[in-house]
């Protein structure tokens, strides 16, 4: 059995179209949408609306953890757009829909997917056609192994679209229970798995996920979210914890075989 796993696609539909080549199934751990590319400030919804210079300024403020200034910049830019008569929510949703139409069309059959923190879950049913199974706080058997899926991220000052409370996230982890492969968008709360060496900050990992790994001992814990982690894999007891990579940048899936 061969399963390919991707995460943090962020608009890379070209490589997504071939990500399942040679595999029995594709697993996607979320963040399909590209709102702002920290490496290329000309790509994404934000620079499309406000230009690469403003995107670069926003990236610098966020990287320096000057979140109040970043929000002030965002408010000013959105205020200027609102004065043209374009509503923020409708503009963002239209852009997300364009990306989703292209990305979901690129998924192979079968695909098993969960949401990232920048995704908009309520839109997924409109684009996830036959052969695409969306799971969140749920389990599925693939090739004789049980995979559990938990999507989204925890609340942060970034205020991305699908952030939930620690309690809600923990409830989804508990609902999944014992599995062979635990698939999440965010990592367990292990410092070397949560620190982004380029953004120079810790992303939020889940303590509930870490507890589940230690108590239920899955074969694998697979996740993304941290684009340039200090460590891409860490072994916790019987569990191999693997950041499956920033697919937008690498275009290469992680391969799981048994």
């Amino acid at each position: 059995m061969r399963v390919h796993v991707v995460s943090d696609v962020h608009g890379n539909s070209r490589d997504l179209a071939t990500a399942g080549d040679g595999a029995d199934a594709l697993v996607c751990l979320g963040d399909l949408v590209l709102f702002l590319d920290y490496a290329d400030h000309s790509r994404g919804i934000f620079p499309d609306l406000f230009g690469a210079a403003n995107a670069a300024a926003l990236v610098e403020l966020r990287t320096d953890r000057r979140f109040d200034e970043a929000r002030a910049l965002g408010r000013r830019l959105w205020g200027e757009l609102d004065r043209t008569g374009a509503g923020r929510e409708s503009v963002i949703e239209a852009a997300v829909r364009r990306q989703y139409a292209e990305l979901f069309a690129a998924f192979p059959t079968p695909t098993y997917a969960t949401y990232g923190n920048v995704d908009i879950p309520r839109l997924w049913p409109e684009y996830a056609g036959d052969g695409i199974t969306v799971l969140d706080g749920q389990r599925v058997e693939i090739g004789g192994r049980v995979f559990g899926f938990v999507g989204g991220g925890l609340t942060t000052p970034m205020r991305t679209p699908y952030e939930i409370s620690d309690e809600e996230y923990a409830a989804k982890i508990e609902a999944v229970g014992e599995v062979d492969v635990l698939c999440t968008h965010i990592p367990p709360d292990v410092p070397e798995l949560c620190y982004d060496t380029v953004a120079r900050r810790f992303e939020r990992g889940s303590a509930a996920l870490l507890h589940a790994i230690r108590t239920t001992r899955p074969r694998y814990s697979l996740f993304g979210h941290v684009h340039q982690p200090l460590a891409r894999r860490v072994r916790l007891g019987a569990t191999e914890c693997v950041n499956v990579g920033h697919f937008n940048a690498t275009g290469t899936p992680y391969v799981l075989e048994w």
Side-chain angles (χ1 to χ4, degrees), residues 8-22:
D8 299 86
V9 176
H10 293 302
N12 188 352
S13 58
R14 181 192 63 188
D15 291 321
L16 186 62
T18 59
D21 288 359

Side-chain angles (χ1 to χ4, degrees), residues 51-163:
N54 282 318
L58 184 64
V59 168
E60 181 179 358
L61 291 172
R62 285 181 172 180
T63 301
D64 290 344
R65 304 187 66 80
R66 294 152 60 190
F67 294 117
D68 289 341
E69 293 175 66
R71 283 193 285 269
L73 173 62
R75 283 193 297 270
R76 178 176 65 79
L77 293 172
W78 284 108
E80 292 172 358
L81 184 68
D82 289 341
R83 284 192 287 275
T84 69
R88 178 188 309 196
E89 297 302 323
S90 62
V91 168
I92 291 177
E93 183 168 318
V96 170
R97 285 181 176 278
R98 287 192 294 271
Q99 291 190 16
Y100 277 166
E102 185 174 344
L103 290 159
F104 276 90
F107 276 133
T109 298
T111 290
Y112 302 89
T114 196
Y115 317 111
N117 61 293
V118 302
D119 287 311
I120 303 178
R122 66 179 175 81
L123 297 181
W124 280 36
E126 298 182 40
Y127 298 94
D130 293 341
I132 302 173
T133 304
V134 180
L135 303 117
D136 189 17
Q138 298 161 292
R139 302 148 53 103
V140 67
E141 185 177 312
I142 305 174
R145 287 190 176 178
V146 179
F147 285 63
F149 290 79
V150 174
L154 298 174
T155 53
T156 71
M158 306 285 277
R159 300 179 183 176
T160 52
Y162 191 41
E163 294 182 351

Side-chain angles (χ1 to χ4, degrees), residues 189-211:
D189 189 17
V190 176
E192 55 265 47
L193 296 174
C194 294
Y195 187 73
D196 191 307
T197 59
V198 174
R200 303 195 305 276
R201 65 168 180 262
F202 285 97
E203 302 288 355
R204 285 208 65 192
S206 168
L209 173 56
L210 178 58
H211 177 73

Side-chain angles (χ1 to χ4, degrees), residues 196-246:
D196 191 307
T197 59
V198 174
R200 303 195 305 276
R201 65 168 180 262
F202 285 97
E203 302 288 355
R204 285 208 65 192
S206 168
L209 173 56
L210 178 58
H211 177 73
I213 290 168
R214 286 174 169 163
T215 56
T216 67
R217 298 164 60 86
R219 293 171 184 260
Y220 294 93
S221 166
L222 306 180
F223 49 87
H225 187 55
V226 184
H227 293 176
Q228 297 89 198
L230 186 62
R232 292 205 173 273
R233 57 197 309 147
V234 168
R235 190 162 189 87
L236 297 176
T239 304
E240 192 75 15
C241 301
V242 184
N243 184 317
V244 300
H246 180 199

